[in-house]
Amino acid sequence: MDFTSRYCRRRMENAITCPSSAIGVNCFQLGFCMPTIPAIDFPISLHPDWMGNLVQSRPEVSLGNMVIPGSHDAGSYSIDSFKLFSAVGRNQNVSVLDQLHRGARFLDIKLGESGASVNVFHGCLQGAKLDRIVEEIKLFCEDFPGEFVVIELSAEAGRTFSSAKKLTALESVKEMLGEKMYAEDDVSKILSTPIKDLVMGGKQVCVLLGPRFMLDLELDGKSITDEYLCETYSCFRSDKWMENKFNNTRDIDDMLELNLEEVKEESKKGKLLNNQFVLTPGVGGAPDIAKLLFGMNSLQPVYLANNLYKPAKRHASPPLHTFFQENGTENWNLVSLDFIDLCPAMMGFLVGLNFSEFEIMLATVQYGNPNFFRPSMSVTQKVQSHVVRNRVLFLNVGKDFGSNFGTLTLAYRVNDKFYSIVIHFDGSSVIVLNEYNHLQAGSKEIVIDDDAEEGSINPGGGGTLMTWCRSEEGDDIEFDFDSPF
């Protein structure tokens, strides 16, 4: 057995999650043994250029009409994992640069004063200097000039953060990002301007300042005006530009319900809307303290986040997946998550909601061992029902098919072209397909000549042999397969 494989590493991480979160064992809550492998494997975890690809497909798309994955407490990854209580303070495993590569385009960064510098803070735990975080953002923007990032700088609660140090931080951000910063104090304009127009104009970053950052922000004893912030630092007050409610709950159902209520009430009201799908650790009394001692509950954000990202039982769907399968058509805008490296399928789904329509033409499934003959069965209607917003196929195979393993064969249309793909799955598989990732997933174009009336398709890989023919009207293509049923 390969003990370095992802399977073995995940099993070992699962085995130590309970004791490492138990205060009775890991009494100082060190973060060196926090989970780093997603509970559900998903092969495509990087989305570094998704906005640049999106504008080729939908050139008029703007921030106000997009679903944008976000990173909650993005800078907390930099808290040293061997610091006391670091596992309680970290909300991300990977660097800001890596978070951007994984698809995040909204970054929540909390800051405080540390001697002569300005650093990331979460509670009393100190992370990297702000300059290091901004340097990562700058590097990403240089590598991917078609991307646009929204940043909120906040002052961490309970930390000393003088007005002078806040201004020093803004000067540093302005110096490092410079002309890449959006500089017009008009939220309606940034919401409606096509992304391609923003980035073609050299603008890739919008910096917002949270309410605590704005508190007591003065220059020469006078409060700094919005106009001065815009003209001098190209920054804006987040309370004027964004709705951003912190739900402060550790209950999954409550958090999901509160976010659903918020998107129904606050979307499309002339501001950015940030929905925080984040659970907050807490202690409610003596029973909770007993659970914390033995690892049955946890003060670690990663413990709670994983409860969102993994199924509660075999052949079930993770709570967050189920929620978005049922509510994906709402007007989501910014969607902030903890530990985005632990939910790659969710990141792929959120990115995919922005792309062109994804139409399933034919879907077949073959259950069982691919080394033996297996009859194909049509599951077209079932698969079509799992295409969210007509843009993303989102299947949790264990729940949706109730099978341990098998093979799914698809024929589908994107932008007036037809494709086929063969996907081998097991009971824990999650399938996320959309215009952005389907070629990376191994799909093949189905070439149909203009003068051809019918044909056959061998998708390979043990998939179902399919046929196609033109409809009687001749303006569409119909797909079928030989079924023994």
Side-chain angles (χ1 to χ4, degrees):
M1 180 179 289
D2 180 8
F3 289 99
T4 64
S5 69
R6 286 175 66 85
Y7 173 78
C8 287
R9 288 166 58 203
R10 183 188 294 116
R11 291 292 297 270
M12 286 188 283
E13 282 190 352
N14 289 342
I16 66 173
T17 293
C18 178
S20 72
S21 64
I23 294 179
V25 177
N26 183 9
C27 54
F28 296 114
Q29 294 294 284
L30 303 177
F32 60 86
C33 51
M34 287 165 51
T36 58
I37 300 177
I40 296 176
D41 273 328
F42 188 72
I44 302 171
S45 60
L46 299 180
H47 318 282
D49 57 352
W50 69 265
M51 283 187 172
N53 278 266
L54 176 62
V55 299
Q56 297 176 35
S57 174
R58 300 178 60 205
E60 300 306 312
V61 69
S62 62
L63 286 178
N65 295 309
M66 292 171 66
V67 180
I68 301 173
S71 173
H72 174 248
D73 270 316
S76 64
Y77 81 92
S78 61
I79 296 171
D80 190 331
S81 60
F82 285 90
K83 280 186 176 179
L84 300 183
F85 301 102
S86 55
V88 179
R90 292 180 65 166
N91 290 80
Q92 302 294 337
N93 280 326
V94 297
S95 70
V96 164
L97 180 61
D98 199 343
Q99 293 169 39
L100 292 167
H101 276 267
R102 290 170 184 269
R105 295 295 179 270
F106 171 68
L107 302 174
D108 161 41
I109 301 173
K110 295 185 174 65
L111 304 170
E113 184 177 331
S114 177
S117 65
V118 175
N119 287 58
V120 167
F121 274 91
H122 192 181
C124 62
L125 295 168
Q126 178 179 320
K129 291 183 179 180
L130 173 61
D131 287 358
R132 171 179 158 187
I133 305 297
V134 178
E135 183 63 35
E136 293 184 40
I137 298 168
K138 178 184 176 183
L139 178 63
F140 175 80
C141 290
E142 291 172 347
D143 288 344
F144 298 96
E147 305 303 299
F148 192 90
V149 183
V150 179
I151 305 167
E152 184 183 35
L153 301 179
S154 301
E156 177 62 10
R159 297 300 309 173
T160 300
F161 202 0
S162 68
S163 185
K165 280 290 183 281
K166 291 177 182 177
L167 294 178
T168 299
L170 296 184
E171 289 166 2
S172 179
V173 171
K174 178 66 175 177
E175 181 180 352
M176 296 177 73
L177 297 179
E179 294 301 314
K180 297 183 185 298
M181 297 175 70
Y182 185 81
E184 295 185 53
D185 193 6
D186 186 348
V187 64
S188 62
K189 185 172 182 178
I190 197 173
L191 288 177
S192 59
T193 301
I195 286 289
K196 68 176 178 59
D197 292 345
L198 292 174
V199 297
M200 287 178 65
K203 305 304 178 185
Q204 290 186 264
V205 180
C206 177
V207 179
L208 308 180
L209 306 178
R212 281 199 294 264
F213 195 103
M214 292 300 301
L215 187 65
D216 300 326
L217 187 60
E218 298 178 341
L219 181 64
D220 298 330
K222 296 181 180 179
S223 296
I224 291 179
T225 64
D226 295 352
E227 292 76 15
Y228 184 85
L229 274 178
C230 175
E231 292 173 4
T232 308
Y233 303 111
S234 300
C235 296
F236 314 99
R237 298 171 61 106
S238 67
D239 56 0
K240 289 188 174 182
W241 281 55
M242 177 172 67
E243 291 293 336
N244 188 17
K245 182 181 177 182
F246 177 51
N247 293 313
N248 194 25
T249 179
R250 56 191 167 127
D251 184 273
I252 290 177
D253 292 336
D254 284 351
M255 182 272 291
L256 295 176
E257 184 62 32
L258 288 168
N259 274 294
L260 185 58
E261 291 175 3
E262 184 180 14
V263 74
K264 289 178 180 293
E265 294 174 2
E266 302 296 340
S267 64
K268 302 293 184 181
K269 289 190 175 181
K271 291 184 179 183
L272 293 164
L273 173 61
N274 180 32
N275 283 97
Q276 298 188 37
F277 287 86
V278 172
L279 295 168
T280 307
V283 180
D288 279 344
I289 294 174
K291 290 179 181 179
L292 289 172
L293 285 172
F294 297 103
M296 299 168 65
N297 197 356
S298 179
L299 294 175
Q300 300 180 12
V302 69
Y303 185 100
L304 299 181
N306 253 341
N307 288 339
L308 270 179
Y309 303 155
K310 65 182 181 182
K313 59 183 180 180
R314 186 178 178 83
H315 288 175
S317 175
L320 198 59
H321 290 198
T322 301
F323 176 83
F324 273 99
Q325 281 180 322
E326 296 172 353
N327 300 289
T329 56
E330 298 293 340
N331 292 312
W332 305 106
N333 188 207
L334 309 177
V335 178
S336 291
L337 301 167
D338 281 337
F339 300 97
I340 62 174
D341 61 308
L342 298 183
C343 56
M346 197 68 231
M347 295 294 288
F349 168 76
L350 294 172
V351 166
L353 287 175
N354 297 291
F355 282 80
S356 297
E357 289 192 1
F358 190 93
E359 182 182 2
I360 300 294
M361 310 300 294
L362 178 69
T364 70
V365 67
Q366 299 160 279
Y367 292 115
N369 192 326
N371 295 318
F372 298 95
F373 172 76
R374 302 166 300 161
S376 297
M377 301 170 53
S378 176
V379 288
T380 302
Q381 289 187 337
K382 174 176 279 191
V383 172
Q384 287 173 337
S385 70
H386 286 83
V387 179
V388 182
R389 283 196 188 181
N390 297 320
R391 296 183 182 191
V392 188
L393 174 61
F394 195 21
L395 276 171
N396 288 267
V397 175
K399 176 186 176 185
D400 300 327
F401 285 162
S403 173
N404 288 329
F405 52 89
T407 302
L408 181 68
T409 305
L410 303 175
Y412 57 92
R413 175 163 51 194
V414 178
N415 285 335
D416 296 324
K417 292 184 178 181
F418 296 97
Y419 300 87
S420 67
I421 190 169
V422 176
I423 302 171
H424 300 288
F425 61 80
D426 60 32
S428 65
S429 296
V430 175
I431 297 173
V432 180
L433 276 183
N434 54 69
E435 181 194 4
Y436 177 68
N437 75 359
H438 74 113
L439 293 176
Q440 299 175 61
S443 68
K444 301 176 182 178
E445 185 177 353
I446 301 171
V447 179
I448 298 177
D449 296 330
D450 291 339
D451 58 352
E453 293 296 324
E454 60 183 18
S456 61
I457 307 152
N458 182 357
T464 302
L465 298 178
M466 297 178 286
T467 60
W468 64 266
C469 65
R470 295 191 183 275
S471 62
E472 292 183 3
E473 295 79 10
D475 57 355
D476 205 356
I477 303 295
E478 297 175 348
F479 290 82
D480 204 351
F481 73 105
D482 290 329
S483 172
F485 299 100

